[in-house]
Amino acid sequence: MTEITRPPHCLAREYLEHRTHSVEPPPTPDEIRRELGWVLIAAERQAQAECDERD
């Protein structure tokens, strides 16, 4: 299974500080999923399920 890594605390604080003072609207749920890599996890699970069906 894919190992999930966390960013360093300083990078998380920097990102949150930037988002707090940003005039841009918040990211869409799809953009958040992409940034967190959830799309890759879903794709990996789907590929594994397809492989299991063939066996």
Side-chain angles (χ1 to χ4, degrees):
M1 184 172 287
T2 305
E3 183 178 330
I4 298 173
T5 59
R6 292 183 163 188
H9 292 288
C10 60
L11 290 179
R13 284 189 206 105
E14 183 179 314
Y15 173 79
L16 290 173
E17 184 69 23
H18 170 73
R19 286 298 313 153
T20 301
H21 299 304
S22 178
V23 294
E24 300 171 358
T28 64
D30 288 336
E31 179 66 17
I32 294 170
R33 288 184 194 101
R34 187 191 65 77
E35 287 184 20
L36 294 174
W38 290 0
V39 176
L40 299 174
I41 294 171
E44 183 177 323
R45 287 180 181 163
Q46 182 179 6
Q48 183 63 40
E50 291 172 357
C51 184
D52 291 345
E53 287 178 357
R54 285 184 268 168
D55 292 338

